Amino acid sequence: MGSESAVALPRTLAWQLYREHGGTGFEVERRGARRGGGFMVQTVTSNTPAEKAGLRWGDEIVEVNGQSVLHLSDAAMRLLLRGKVCTKLTVGVKRNGLARVQRITASRVLIRTP
């Protein structure tokens, strides 16, 4: 049996996988309409690793795990932010319009999207 075939997931399992992922509890939106800018933190959920690590509304994320995000698509950014539960995520943020990049690290936990 050397060949493998793709197996379709049952609709309920696929939906569950879409709604549950490893994350740190914040959402971002691209700063400006075009690529080339960072991603602004729009929400930080209470009692999540992101909040506990010090991430704030309005922070501009310019890197994830040491990789610049300035030219990433929104979809590519979401893939970088999500990951396996119990893994670390480090974001480089600019705060209050300052040029200095501050690095914030948080552990991913199971996130359930309503």
Side-chain angles (χ1 to χ4, degrees):
M1 290 201 203
S3 66
E4 295 180 16
S5 61
V7 176
L9 292 174
R11 179 173 261 161
T12 54
L13 178 58
W15 179 246
Q16 181 178 357
L17 290 173
Y18 171 76
R19 294 179 50 219
E20 296 181 346
H21 61 276
T24 58
F26 69 97
E27 295 181 12
V28 296
E29 183 176 284
R30 178 168 300 285
R31 181 179 179 209
R34 298 181 183 200
R35 290 185 191 175
F39 289 80
M40 300 301 285
V41 175
Q42 295 298 307
T43 59
V44 180
T45 305
S46 297
N47 298 315
T48 60
E51 182 190 53
K52 292 173 184 174
L55 199 63
R56 299 182 196 160
W57 174 88
D59 283 347
E60 179 185 7
I61 297 178
V62 295
E63 62 183 49
V64 173
N65 294 332
Q67 176 183 339
S68 172
V69 299
L70 299 181
H71 297 287
L72 291 182
S73 68
D74 294 353
M77 179 63 165
R78 279 190 300 276
L79 288 174
L80 278 180
L81 295 177
R82 293 180 178 188
K84 291 182 179 182
V85 172
C86 297
T87 59
K88 298 280 187 195
L89 173 73
T90 300
V91 292
V93 301
K94 291 184 179 179
R95 187 171 281 168
N96 301 325
L98 300 175
R100 182 178 154 265
V101 175
Q102 176 182 352
R103 286 173 184 78
I104 297 173
T105 300
S107 292
R108 292 180 178 103
V109 295
L110 182 63
I111 301 291
R112 289 187 171 93
T113 306

